[in-house]
Amino acid sequence: MTQTPAPTVKVECLARRQDQTAPGFRTIPEETPVAFTYGGSTHAVMMATPADLEDFAVGFALTEGLISPGEDPGEVEVVASELGVELRCWLPGDRQRDYAERRRSMAGPTGCGLCGIESLEQACRPAPVLADNALRVSAEALIEAMDRLPSAQHINQETRAVHAAAFWSPASGLLIAREDVGRHNALDKLAGALARQTIPAAQGVVLMTSRISVELVQKAARIGAPVIAAVSAPTALAVRTAQACGMTLVAVMRGRDFEIFTHPHRIIEQASAHVA
């Protein structure tokens, strides 16, 4: 039986250091095709890091709208072959029938979640409008959360070549981090981990090590996350989408500095952050 590939690989290289070149080694992330099948039908093939694949399967189903937050995610079987990894998924109850009726096929390169969509309307589909709960996050806590993220990026510590998505809450701190060569994949893995551990995304902040694209906002909204924060800048469409769906978008987090682009009322100066 073929084993699932390891998430990292050690390879030989020629390393130039201080004007000298010598044989060396570098640990780099694996990148492998991951196929999502539902009831035997292929839905998508993504290039991804082969880690936390059960989380990936559940999170992808959530952010694609195949299941809803809090719903039974169905069954997942991870099957590796020489060509890649297949995530064989069976949606619960009527969801499988509904899926068959609206089935579409999508293939994407690294980190691309929109390739293969059949219309402009699908690409610009609106994100769910978020309820304005009592979540408030102090600026100091948000800075500390992002500062802690590198220590949770175990694959990146080895490779310096993958993105991370993490979840932080005022009550519990930095709870989960997931990594992948694709930033969209990392967020899907995080979404799946939250669902499988029954942690409500509405009670905290999604942290990203990348720029914020529109699809990251759409995915975060579908799992009910009211705040997304990232180290790099957002796109204009991401800002418009976050504004429309009621999400607080924080970006360009560098040291103690950051910029709030939408719904700033959730980020407060005092330390008495809370959540309903």
Side-chain angles (χ1 to χ4, degrees):
M1 182 176 180
T2 303
Q3 297 294 314
T4 302
T8 62
V9 178
K10 191 173 184 179
V11 298
E12 296 180 357
C13 65
L14 286 177
R16 183 173 173 81
R17 303 285 187 269
Q18 298 179 346
D19 296 329
Q20 300 293 321
T21 302
F25 294 90
R26 166 69 61 178
T27 300
I28 56 177
E30 185 58 85
E31 183 178 20
T32 193
V34 176
F36 297 83
T37 65
Y38 296 92
S41 299
T42 300
H43 176 80
V45 179
M46 306 297 288
M47 301 304 297
T49 303
D52 302 303
L53 292 174
E54 291 86 354
D55 290 341
F56 196 14
V58 173
F60 185 82
L62 279 167
T63 63
E64 281 287 292
L66 303 181
I67 57 174
S68 300
E71 190 175 17
D72 177 7
E75 301 177 16
V76 178
E77 181 183 4
V78 179
V79 180
S81 71
E82 293 182 359
L83 297 176
V85 177
E86 181 182 346
L87 301 181
R88 296 178 181 173
C89 308
W90 291 268
L91 299 173
D94 292 339
R95 287 293 191 177
Q96 187 62 52
R97 185 195 64 220
D98 295 342
Y99 168 74
E101 292 175 354
R102 69 181 189 90
R103 176 188 168 196
R104 64 183 174 82
S105 183
M106 174 180 72
T110 298
C112 179
L114 290 176
C115 300
I117 280 181
E118 296 172 352
S119 70
L120 294 176
E121 287 79 6
Q122 285 179 295
C124 297
R125 55 191 171 181
V129 176
L130 300 167
D132 189 9
N133 65 5
L135 178 69
R136 300 295 182 266
V137 180
S138 74
E140 196 68 34
L142 190 60
I143 292 167
E144 181 180 350
M146 191 61 82
D147 285 346
R148 288 191 56 198
L149 183 52
S151 64
Q153 295 175 246
H154 303 302
I155 296 177
N156 199 55
Q157 287 172 11
E158 291 187 74
T159 66
R160 304 298 178 191
V162 295
H163 290 295
F167 184 76
W168 175 93
S169 77
S172 303
L174 192 64
L175 288 174
I176 302 172
R178 292 292 182 264
E179 299 173 272
D180 200 276
V181 290
R183 61 188 184 277
H184 302 93
N185 300 341
L187 182 51
D188 281 339
K189 290 178 178 181
L190 175 66
L194 291 171
R196 296 176 74 211
Q197 297 179 41
T198 63
I199 299 172
Q203 295 184 358
V205 178
V206 169
L207 304 173
M208 300 294 306
T209 60
S210 64
R211 63 179 171 86
I212 300 181
S213 65
V214 62
E215 190 165 9
L216 294 184
V217 173
Q218 291 169 332
K219 286 177 179 290
R222 288 189 193 109
I223 63 172
V227 182
I228 187 168
V231 298
S232 296
T235 67
L237 184 54
V239 171
R240 292 194 296 270
T241 303
Q243 181 65 41
C245 75
M247 181 182 296
T248 299
L249 192 160
V250 183
V252 201
M253 292 198 68
R254 308 292 170 83
R256 299 190 59 79
D257 299 332
F258 58 79
E259 298 169 11
I260 308 172
F261 289 84
T262 60
H263 301 282
H265 65 281
R266 294 191 181 94
I267 310 301
I268 58 177
E269 287 300 325
Q270 60 268 34
S272 57
H274 61 281
V275 63

